[in-house]
Each structure stands twice: as C-alpha cells, then as structure tokens.
Amino acid sequence: PTRLYVKSALAIAEKFDVHGIAHITGGGFIENIPRILPKTMGVEIDLDSFPRLPVFELLAAKSGLGDDKLYNTFNMGIGMVFAVSPEFAKELCDYAVKLGEKAYIMGRVTDRAGVSLIRK
C-alpha cells in the first residue's frame, strides 16, 4: 500500500527551502524523480547510500531483473525524495528522523537529464 507523508512533508517544507518533492510510486525512481526537475537536469543516485531491503534482493534473484528495471518498477523502500541545496541535506535528514522517518542523502542533481544509478 502507498504510504502517505503529508504531515512530515509539510513540516519539512515549512522548515527548509525545498526545490521539489517526488513521491516514489509506480514508475519508481526513473519516472518519478525527473518530474521535479527541469528537463535539462537529472539526478545521480548512489545505490549504496540507503539500505536495499531483503524483499528487493529476493525479487532481483527470482526475477532476474537488473538494477535499471528494479529501480524503474519498484520504490526500493524509498517513499519520498526531497530536492534541496546540498548545504541543507544533512539537516533535513536529521529533522526527518526526528519526525519519525528514515532519511538518507541519496545523490545529487546533475546537468544530465534522467536518472543515473551509481555505486561509489
């Protein structure tokens, strides 16, 4: 089921200069994150910056799907993405945790359109 983040998202938006918010639903990272960016910009997501839940390891093993398909089809345990200036990212994550959320700095905005999945 889809989890709602209204209370946390509103609290975060009141406290920080949020440039965009993406609810990661059907279409996963690949379709949802670019919707909050200008068409000429994209994101680089560090796949090691957040835990990959065991259910997704099982799905990968049983389906044979590669990362591109997995991150396009599923949310991979990430429900919402906030785009903020890098200098506020850690503070936002700390605040989200105080609100009862799990939060990670997952990547960065780039001048290359689309979503790039990387491992550092």
Side-chain angles (χ1 to χ4, degrees):
T2 298
R3 178 162 179 234
L4 301 179
Y5 296 91
V6 174
K7 290 180 182 178
S8 296
L10 288 173
I12 289 168
E14 285 180 17
K15 187 170 176 71
F16 297 93
D17 182 19
V18 175
H19 299 280
I21 302 172
H23 192 191
I24 310 303
T25 58
F29 287 44
I30 308 301
E31 293 179 30
N32 290 293
I33 297 173
R35 292 180 183 150
I36 65 173
L37 300 170
K39 299 243 184 265
T40 59
M41 300 178 87
V43 293
E44 187 175 84
I45 301 293
D46 178 4
L47 299 181
D48 296 323
S49 65
F50 57 96
R52 186 156 145 169
L53 302 175
V55 67
F56 298 112
E57 293 298 336
L58 179 64
L59 280 169
K62 295 289 185 183
S63 69
L65 294 175
D67 279 347
D68 287 348
K69 291 288 186 193
L70 287 170
Y71 285 84
N72 187 58
T73 305
F74 303 106
N75 71 2
M76 305 305 287
I78 301 297
M80 184 154 284
V81 171
F82 288 83
V84 297
S85 296
E87 61 266 22
F88 301 118
K90 180 166 180 356
E91 185 181 353
L92 186 149
C93 284
D94 292 343
Y95 185 66
V97 169
K98 287 181 185 175
L99 294 173
E101 305 293 348
K102 293 179 184 169
Y104 315 96
I105 299 172
M106 297 173 37
R108 65 185 188 89
V109 174
T110 67
D111 59 0
R112 191 167 32 113
V115 176
S116 298
L117 306 173
I118 63 162
R119 294 194 187 275
K120 287 188 176 181

